[in-house]
Amino acid sequence: MLAQDLEEAAPPRHKLHAYADVAVVVVVLAGTNLIAHFTTAWASIVTVPVAAVVLLAMMRRRGLHWHELGLSPRYWRRGTLYALGAVAVVLTAVAIGAILPVTRPFFLADRYATISGALIASMIVIPLQTVIPEELAFRGVLHGTLDRVYGARGVFAAGSLLFGLWHIASSLGLTSSNRGLSGFVGGGVAGQLIGILLAVIATAGAGVVFTWLRRRSGSLLAPIALHWSVNGAGALAAAIVWHTTLS
């Protein structure tokens, strides 16, 4: 009788495999983040895209279907419609933010001080190095593995939190390179910590929106489009604000 109770209480084998898949994805993402931000310049360029492709191949081999990864052609049409809507909303918000005197200083980021640099970042670097790999990894692979174990609540909570924590390393110099943010939170160690905390909260919130789009549309096209429009349009707006402010 006891043996039967223990057998019923133990999770099925496929459930254990699903937990293992989640653990593997999280460990690989953590290692990828450390390598990308604390090793060499080349590692910062290639590590995240390579890791995303490797994770995708691994989880496909482990049995995740294309629709679980947000890559099923059956959802491309719906994903495209949601993508167009998301981009329109973001472009409108960015334009308003760049015009209003209250929010305009937050666009003064040093790395986008030139139009040519912003164009390269927006059209090449951001999509290939950041947006597509991150969406494949988080709203694709991590989403699929978490959904098998924890369902929608787990995907929204754990997936979004991990996406926020993913941005700690990239936020270390955030306040020193953004005049608007440094003026808002202050300088020094305290300002840097507040900037990191705000970045984690903001990106975790963005993760919730990306996840909602992913689940609503069934496709990665929608969160990829939203992610790109936030980063890419922000870069272009920053360059324009720099030039119009200095002229």
Side-chain angles (χ1 to χ4, degrees):
M1 191 74 171
L2 180 59
Q4 184 179 354
D5 290 340
L6 288 173
E7 185 177 348
E8 290 177 358
R13 181 169 231 169
H14 73 274
K15 201 77 169 177
L16 290 175
H17 287 175
Y19 281 113
D21 290 342
V22 172
V24 168
V25 172
V26 171
V27 169
V28 170
L29 286 175
T32 299
N33 195 281
L34 293 175
I35 293 170
H37 289 96
F38 300 108
T39 55
T40 66
W42 275 108
S44 68
I45 295 172
V46 303
T47 302
V48 177
V50 169
V53 173
V54 169
L55 282 173
L56 180 63
M58 286 174 58
M59 292 305 118
R60 275 290 296 160
R61 189 172 180 82
R62 293 283 289 174
L64 259 72
H65 302 292
W66 290 118
H67 71 271
E68 292 180 285
L69 296 164
L71 296 172
S72 173
R74 145 176 48 157
Y75 297 103
W76 284 354
R77 183 177 180 276
R78 188 190 303 177
T80 300
L81 293 175
Y82 274 91
L84 292 173
V87 170
V89 170
V90 171
L91 291 180
T92 303
V94 168
I96 294 172
I99 292 171
L100 291 178
V102 176
T103 52
R104 188 178 175 86
F106 290 95
F107 287 87
L108 293 173
D110 294 342
R111 55 182 170 173
Y112 300 130
T114 66
I115 296 291
S116 60
L119 280 171
I120 292 172
S122 177
M123 301 303 172
I124 299 174
V125 177
I126 288 173
L128 299 181
Q129 188 179 330
T130 302
V131 172
I132 295 174
E134 285 187 0
E135 291 307 314
L136 277 175
F138 282 91
R139 259 62 62 182
V141 176
L142 183 63
H143 184 114
T145 54
L146 284 172
D147 198 28
R148 281 192 167 189
V149 178
Y150 302 110
R153 290 184 180 179
V155 171
F156 274 100
S160 301
L161 176 60
L162 289 170
F163 189 62
L165 296 176
W166 169 266
H167 288 84
I168 290 177
S170 61
S171 304
L172 293 178
L174 189 62
T175 53
S176 61
S177 63
N178 188 300
R179 294 187 184 184
L181 188 58
S182 61
F184 179 69
V185 302
V189 176
Q192 186 178 32
L193 292 176
I194 294 172
I196 292 171
L197 179 61
L198 290 175
V200 170
I201 293 172
T203 50
V208 172
V209 178
F210 294 155
T211 300
W212 181 85
L213 276 174
R214 158 73 175 84
R215 296 189 73 86
R216 185 74 177 177
S217 67
S219 172
L220 283 184
L221 291 175
I224 285 174
L226 178 59
H227 197 160
W228 172 81
S229 60
V230 170
N231 290 14
L236 292 173
I240 294 170
V241 168
W242 264 109
H243 280 265
T244 55
T245 299
L246 296 176
S247 59

